[in-house]
Amino acid sequence: MATNDVALRADDLRFSYGQRRAVDGVSFAVHRGETLGLLGPNGAGKSTTIKMLIGLLTPDDGSIEVLGMDMASRRTDIQGRVGVVFEEKNLYPNLSGRENLAFFARLFGLRDVDLDGLLARVGLADRGRDRVSGYSKGMRQRLTVARALVNRPDVLFLDEPTDGLDPVSARSIRALIREEAGRGAAVVLTTHDMHEADALSDRVAFINDGRILALDAPEQLKLSHGQPTVRVRRRVNGAVEESVVTVDAGGAEQLSALVGAEGLLTVHTEEATLEDVFVHFAGRGLE
Ligand code: ATP
């Protein structure tokens, strides 16, 4: 991808809370139309990284460039061009969903925002005039996503966007993220859910102890570092016996013996998961 397609660049970011180092030299670039997933367990440093990227925390060291602007000198300009979905949602419960969006649009000095279109996009067309205090968690999160889209952002940041949501809300939010990337927005999202990272990200950064351990397309990570397995089930002396064989040089012989033996019932190949690959790099899982 051409350098001028870079929407966001983080260079050697560091941040400590007192003595506790939360982010320890994080660098990456995200291109227009690309979704980067930061995948890591609780406490890995994902939220702290996002907080620096949106100008909520000032890095102790390192630099951030968004849309060609330096965060240290042009924070306000940057904030007008990005959208943020953060866990701590500051919606106004006594206003309706539509009023919340209108209020946010005014903050940006925006007129002619298609509020009803936005509400429809997040599946709240018929609830937009109800007070937010009566919304479910999933509805609030969908409204938070709609709010982040009010200014048609060039970069969209989402911290654990579907954590703890019902499947319908989660699906709707994932679809919106894809649409936004499709329209050319650069997307950065954090998650500790490997399925989410896999389903949404063009590239995934594994983050642990404040550092990026690997960064690549999910498929590439799994192919290069994961070990596919084959699960063979046979009926032996009336009972079902299951063998799991790793697909490597040694496994091939064992596999052909198993498949050639009597009583074969099923053979399933299982691709490595992002969690398997994460364990390979971090020596620990995502939980
Ligand atoms: P989670 O999903 O649990 O939020 P995370 O990957 O987003 O995890 P961070 O929230 O960035 O991780 O936390 C990184 C480290 O910094 C952790 O050790 C955490 O305990 C610590 N930390 C985070 N916020 C604070 C804070 N306000 N004060 C002190 N330490 C903090």
Side-chain angles (χ1 to χ4, degrees):
M1 240 172 275
T3 324
N4 61 4
D5 274 345
V6 170
L8 169 108
R9 196 186 295 283
D11 187 26
D12 203 21
L13 297 181
R14 289 167 203 274
F15 188 87
S16 297
Y17 297 98
Q19 294 298 308
R20 184 187 291 276
R21 178 156 288 191
V23 175
D24 192 13
V26 160
S27 304
F28 56 80
V30 190
H31 298 84
R32 291 174 198 274
E34 183 186 35
T35 300
L36 177 75
L38 303 179
L39 177 67
N42 286 332
K46 306 180 297 292
S47 302
T48 306
T49 301
I50 291 264
K51 282 182 185 165
M52 290 190 274
L53 298 177
I54 62 178
L56 222 58
L57 285 178
T58 305
D60 298 334
D61 213 343
S63 62
I64 296 164
E65 197 183 284
V66 182
L67 305 166
M69 298 180 275
D70 181 26
M71 181 66 81
S73 56
R74 303 198 49 197
R75 194 172 63 138
T76 312
D77 293 330
I78 291 174
Q79 286 174 339
R81 304 272 304 273
V82 309
V84 176
V85 177
F86 213 68
E87 268 182 302
E88 294 117 65
K89 313 157 189 104
N90 35 4
L91 297 170
Y92 293 96
N94 291 326
L95 299 182
S96 71
R98 199 175 188 286
E99 286 164 343
N100 266 277
L101 295 185
F103 179 79
F104 206 62
R106 272 202 304 279
L107 276 186
F108 273 114
L110 299 171
R111 290 159 200 275
D112 306 326
V113 176
D114 179 11
L115 300 179
D116 295 316
L118 266 177
L119 286 165
R121 279 186 73 194
V122 296
L124 291 174
D126 54 348
R127 299 294 305 272
R129 291 179 195 274
D130 296 351
R131 278 186 185 201
V132 167
S133 53
Y135 281 14
S136 69
K137 179 177 165 141
M139 290 164 70
R140 282 171 203 236
Q141 182 72 338
R142 282 184 275 145
L143 185 62
T144 307
V145 173
R147 198 188 62 172
L149 302 182
V150 153
N151 58 334
R152 288 180 66 82
D154 294 307
V155 188
L156 186 58
F157 297 98
L158 307 103
D159 195 31
E160 304 277 359
T162 65
D163 196 27
L165 296 191
D166 60 283
V168 173
S169 294
R171 236 191 337 267
S172 139
I173 287 174
R174 288 188 188 125
L176 278 164
I177 293 172
R178 290 197 188 93
E179 279 171 33
E180 288 301 298
R183 133 183 114 68
V187 179
V188 182
L189 63 95
T190 74
T191 181
H192 56 261
D193 177 347
M194 65 162 184
H195 298 293
E196 172 134 308
D198 208 344
L200 287 177
S201 317
D202 296 302
R203 289 186 303 148
V204 169
F206 285 159
I207 178 159
N208 192 43
D209 278 343
R211 294 197 180 138
I212 290 182
L213 304 178
L215 198 169
D216 211 333
E219 217 40 51
Q220 203 52 44
L221 286 166
K222 289 184 283 188
L223 282 175
S224 311
H225 307 284
Q227 197 72 267
T229 53
V230 181
R231 198 173 285 270
V232 181
R233 292 170 79 220
R234 293 184 308 137
R235 189 175 297 283
V236 181
N237 300 328
V240 176
E241 199 171 86
E242 188 173 79
S243 315
V244 180
V245 182
T246 305
V247 183
D248 55 16
E253 212 168 297
Q254 191 190 352
L255 189 59
S256 79
L258 278 170
V259 173
E262 275 186 32
L264 182 67
L265 293 172
T266 58
V267 179
H268 287 292
T269 50
E270 285 173 12
E271 198 188 27
T273 64
L274 279 184
E275 167 117 27
D276 297 335
V277 188
F278 190 89
V279 171
H280 165 84
F281 279 101
R284 59 161 297 184
L286 289 163
E287 291 306 322

